[in-house]
Amino acid sequence: MREILGRRRRLLSQSGDKGPELIDSALTFATEWQWPVLPGVTADQRSTSRCGCPDPECVLPGAHPFDPGLLAATTDARMVRWWWTNRPAAPIILATGGEAPCAVSLPALAASRALVALDRQGMRLGPVVASPTRWAILVRPYSMEQLGELLYAKDFVPGSLRFHSEGGYLALPPSETGRGDIRWERAPLPGSASPWLPDVEAVVDAVVDALTRTGVSAPEM
């Protein structure tokens, strides 16, 4: 499955406009799953590889909040509907941490191989968000203290792993960014009140072990 399946889902227009799909998905995240979201910056109309924000060297074109800022993220249906009615092409940005999901991300090639290794081990994963360059495994909320203790106990942690916790953010499907489409590599099960998420400890242990045992190179990206 590559898309959100919810009661608000609508058919895309023949023109390929993602507006209806974006607003339906944003409402599903916010109101059904209680994930705080906000609209991200859209790509520059003159060049989709550039961001619409004032930074000419933005490294996350179309995949970050700007106006409104991250603190505006909400689960309020009226606000979400107003945002995407006025900005129908805006990416959906999840404000991670607090009561919302967190994530562990790594480069796409390393992630795809790690998931194969985890499947062979019988490791249960929740939703996995994929961009052309990085994949993010959603996990239960964790604190920075909890993460610090976890990493301190490790002999080795690949430098390419990134952690999206409180104060962080993540673009969600079916957003379009300057680096390409955001999609589900592992979609949430349809009809669930809120997707099941694994603990960060289990995911970090399994990913580090899989990368180490398989010799997968995970360079900084």
Side-chain angles (χ1 to χ4, degrees):
M1 294 180 55
R2 303 296 186 190
E3 59 183 327
I4 287 293
L5 296 177
R7 61 175 178 268
R8 295 192 180 93
R9 175 184 169 193
R10 300 172 186 169
L11 294 175
L12 298 180
S13 67
Q14 292 183 351
S15 65
D17 177 25
K18 278 193 173 183
E21 190 179 10
L22 281 164
I23 191 171
D24 288 350
S25 296
L27 285 167
T28 295
F29 299 140
T31 63
E32 295 185 18
W33 298 352
Q34 293 298 294
W35 293 4
V37 298
L38 74 162
V41 183
T42 54
D44 192 314
Q45 293 183 352
R46 295 166 297 179
S47 173
T48 56
S49 63
R50 297 185 59 183
C51 192
C53 75
D55 184 359
E57 298 181 359
C58 179
V59 297
L60 292 172
H64 67 89
F66 174 66
D67 183 17
L70 186 62
L71 293 179
T74 184
T75 59
D76 182 76
R78 292 174 298 176
M79 193 72 245
V80 170
R81 189 175 287 109
W82 186 85
W83 274 333
W84 271 274
T85 297
N86 289 277
R87 298 168 60 179
I92 303 170
I93 303 297
L94 167 69
T96 56
E99 299 298 320
C102 292
V104 177
S105 70
L106 61 161
L109 178 59
S112 65
R113 294 177 179 175
L115 259 60
V116 170
L118 299 185
D119 286 341
R120 289 173 180 167
Q121 296 175 26
M123 171 74 183
R124 182 185 180 189
L125 294 176
V128 177
V129 176
S131 77
T133 57
R134 295 187 71 86
W135 292 8
I137 303 171
L138 299 188
V139 298
R140 293 176 185 171
Y142 59 82
S143 66
M144 292 305 295
E145 291 78 11
Q146 181 182 3
L147 178 63
E149 292 177 0
L150 172 63
L151 298 183
Y152 181 78
K154 291 287 181 188
D155 294 328
F156 168 75
V157 176
S160 57
L161 287 183
R162 295 178 187 168
F163 301 92
H164 309 257
S165 57
E166 190 165 3
Y169 57 86
L170 189 70
L172 294 176
S175 301
E176 292 183 355
T177 73
R179 290 187 174 180
D181 289 349
I182 307 297
R183 62 179 177 81
W184 294 112
E185 175 62 26
R186 300 285 175 90
L189 294 176
S192 57
S194 182
W196 179 87
L197 301 172
D199 291 326
V200 65
E201 292 90 348
V203 168
V204 171
D205 287 346
V207 167
V208 170
D209 180 65
L211 293 178
T212 302
R213 286 190 304 100
T214 58
V216 174
S217 175
E220 294 280 358
M221 288 186 64

